[in-house]
Amino acid sequence: MIKIHNLHATVDGKAILNGLDLEVADGEVHAIMGPNGSGKSTLAQVLAGRETFEVTEGSVDWDGTDLLALPAEERARAGLFLAFQYPVEIPGVSNAYFLKAAVNAIRRHRGLPEYDAMDFLARVKTEMKAVDMKEEFLYRSVNEGFSGGEKKRNEVLQMALLEPKLAVLDETDSGLDIDALKVVAEGVNRLRSPERSMIVITHYQRLLDYIVPDKVHVLSQGRIVRSGGRELALELEEHGYGWIETQPAAPAAQGGRP
Amino acid sequence: MSTATRPIDAFLEQEYTAGFVTEMESDTVPKGLSEDIIRMISARKNEPEFMLEWRLAAYRRWLTMRPPTWAHLRFDPIDFQDIVYYSAPKSKKDGPQSLDEVDPELLRTFDKLGVPLHERARLAGVAVDAVFDSVSVATTFKKELGEHGIIFCAFSEAVHNHPELVRKYLGTVVPPGDNYYAALNSAVFSDGSFVFVPKGVKCPMELSTYFRINARDTGQFERTLIIAEEGASVSYLEGCTAPMRDENQLHAAVVELIALDDAKIKYSTVQNWYPGDKDGIGGIYNFVTKRGDCRGARSHISWTQVETGSAITWKYPSVILRGDDSVGDFHSVALSNHRQQADTGTKMIHMGRNTKSTILSKGISAGRGSNTFRGLVKVTPRAEGARNYTQCDSLLIGDRCAAHTFPTIEVRHPSARVEHEATTSRIGEDQLFYAMQRGISAEDAVSMIVNGFCREVFKELPMEFAVEAQKLLGVSLEGSVG
Ligand SMILES: Nc1ncnc2c1ncn2[C@@H]1O[C@H](COP(=O)(O)OP(=O)(O)OP(=O)(O)O)[C@@H](O)[C@H]1O
Ligand SMILES: [Mg+2]
């Protein structure tokens, strides 16, 4: 269970998150929608521990630990995964090497034996089949020269390999053709389990046809301004974000708060 | 500061592990440089007359020269009268001796440096010549090599035992007046290695020399000469370390390689002289002239260097492609961190027909380090069909360091094909965050990126040393998969 309470974050002194509240229970999938620049990626990066953003107020409780006190790599090892909106290229480092280092860092942390080259290859090849990625991507440099869709698949591949407890997907569906979208959605659905929670950031309710969320939230100017069920996404699709403003100020449903 | 600098700093601030001093009585000549000092050095080494004359001629030449100023380096002028030009461990008697006679303290020193010399522990398949300050203290596997007709010994020993070879080849690639530091070296050179591989012989093991500066205020002026006769081949490697001291110490070496018809010489360097501290106090001034002469047709000379040490590096291992169809390679990784300055590169002089050269330079700058690549590709009017490929990549870590590239191309034959590619990249905060988000520590992420950047050069090093070089760069072994 992750509980975000009154989260404020700034970059270069500029306020981006302005008192954000959100709770996601184990096993739940929440979708976050919201206009460009509203702070969706900032929320994702703050959760993942990027130091560019300064948390000025608020707390994040993750199964009883103070998430904000952990450095980024420890959050990852504890099971927090972020699928980046813009995956980063690392020239000269093969994807296989990178993935193996990541998987083993996390296995080490969980007290599991590290994979040797053989075990790793067997595992990664199975996972690659599931996301329909060719083996050659193992031997290319991390994300270098990957198309937009290939980068997103590579993120889903990593998510599957790392078996996170909390996955944050930042517009993993953007720029995907319809087949790729299904592949990504299936990848996510395969990982759905009672112990695992997910935050899916998207602009398109179409994705939510495939990944059916337990809750949908609208983020605007650094706060959750409205929460609801699956139907909220459909209404947004129909009326646009401007519609929210015209609605009576419904209390932002904070996933279980009174 | 930001995530970018924190882990990078940790990575770059690893300690210099070879910085200890060996307490040792030594036989040292007085400070300063004069004809008398040169006579003294020559007498200490019991040299034949021709060698003394050669030294004196070089000295007189040096007196007329000025230090070069074109390099992208900043340092206070060197006081050449404030340097000790010869220092040898006391126990060292004249001439060669067996390993049993070597002072145990010296053996321990080389053990500590990871270069065991005694029978039991020596590196398998690698013959080592260990040079301590001004003299060679031991050479391993001499007998085994001798059975193949290969000579591998201290330079001063070669002067005694093979004067005809020394006279025939010494100074024929780097003449004493070639440049200021080469002239100085020719006047005062102390020891170094001598390698001779006779016609048709493929050297059955790696040869290597380990250079250690120990004594205070002492310069090291080694001289290495490698000759591969027709059809011969040899792979040679040098390693270097020095204690941590606040004063700068001078190292001015000359290396000459000669490859006759169909011969191949592969020369690798892992240079880890003390680089000075974070603020640029102390460290070795490394002024080195290295040149190979592809004298014969189809000969091949290959330089590979991993330069991580020294406060100042001034070094341009070059190849003269004299023989038709000869081949020259230069593969380099140069790291400058903190206040280190490296001005390094190569010259490929194409004289023969259908000669081919490859230059692959990887410069890494970090901290306030400055890294300059200087390359000359020259195709003379006779060099029909000459080809060169140059690739020159710079990696910047942090934002206070600098990288410069000065490629010079002079082509005097229309059929020449010369290609040049250059890239500059920086390890970014976004790359480190991406890796950290996957559970990889930032240090490992930096290592991965640096290692990936250097891979093409590491590939050229003999196996054992590739591992060593990776460790030196603080990187864990990559490539077990993929
Ligand atoms: N490093 C930064 N420096 C300055 N401003 C930043 C930085 N990162 C984000 N911002 C600003 O913060 C605001 C929120 O950005 P964020 O990326 O979180 O939006 P988003 O909701 O993910 O938008 P999109 O839907 O376009 O992806 C934007 O105005 C953006 O310009
Ligand atoms: Mg975004």
Side-chain angles (χ1 to χ4, degrees), chain A residues 49-52 73 76-77 80-82 84 88-93 97-98 100-102 105 117 139 143 155 158, chain B residues 1-3 6 429-431 433-441 448-449 452 455 476-482:
Chain A
R50 188 163 203 154
E51 291 180 13
T52 326
E73 65 266 42
R77 290 174 194 163
L80 189 151
F81 180 88
L82 169 62
F84 285 65
V88 179
E89 301 192 355
I90 311 181
V93 177
Y97 185 78
F98 183 81
K100 180 165 174 257
Y139 306 107
N143 292 324
E155 296 292 288
Q158 294 179 59
Chain B
M1 271 277 304
S2 72
T3 25
R6 180 173 48 83
E429 184 267 342
D430 54 340
Q431 291 174 327
F433 179 67
Y434 189 71
M436 285 154 76
Q437 210 306 300
R438 301 305 186 237
I440 299 167
S441 73
M448 251 183 219
I449 296 169
R455 183 168 22 222
S476 53
L477 184 66
E478 193 192 328
S480 46
V481 279

Side-chain angles (χ1 to χ4, degrees), chain B residues 103-121:
Chain B
D103 186 328
E105 194 54 41
L106 281 174
L107 293 181
R108 267 197 294 278
T109 299
F110 282 98
D111 264 356
K112 224 162 134 181
L113 294 168
V115 192
L117 299 171
H118 39 85
E119 298 284 334
R120 283 161 292 126

Side-chain angles (χ1 to χ4, degrees), chain A residues 179-256:
Chain A
D179 292 344
L181 184 69
K182 282 186 190 155
V183 165
V184 166
E186 277 163 24
V188 170
N189 286 330
R190 249 196 323 277
L191 283 174
R192 277 181 101 145
S193 88
E195 303 82 56
R196 192 170 278 142
S197 28
M198 300 196 195
I199 297 173
V200 178
I201 297 170
T202 183
H203 283 295
Y204 306 104
Q205 82 82 27
R206 182 184 65 170
L207 176 73
L208 306 180
D209 288 340
Y210 299 102
I211 304 173
V212 181
D214 297 296
K215 289 217 167 64
V216 176
H217 308 274
V218 179
L219 183 59
S220 175
Q221 297 180 1
R223 309 180 59 218
I224 302 285
V225 293
R226 181 171 287 254
S227 299
R230 169 82 184 86
E231 68 292 342
L232 179 56
L234 290 166
E235 289 185 71
L236 282 171
E237 176 111 322
E238 199 170 323
H239 306 294
Y241 291 114
W243 162 75
I244 300 265
E245 319 286 317
T246 68
Q247 294 296 298
Q254 282 139 11

Side-chain angles (χ1 to χ4, degrees), chain B residues 43 152 208 220 246 294 356 374 438 466 479:
Chain B
F152 178 43
S208 95
Q220 193 176 56
D246 289 348
C294 280
K356 223 168 83 183
R374 201 177 289 282
R438 301 305 186 237

Side-chain angles (χ1 to χ4, degrees), chain A residues 37 39-42 85-86 170-171 201 203:
Chain A
K40 302 181 298 296
S41 295
T42 301
Q85 182 175 2
Y86 305 107
D170 191 357
E171 294 198 31
I201 297 170
H203 283 295

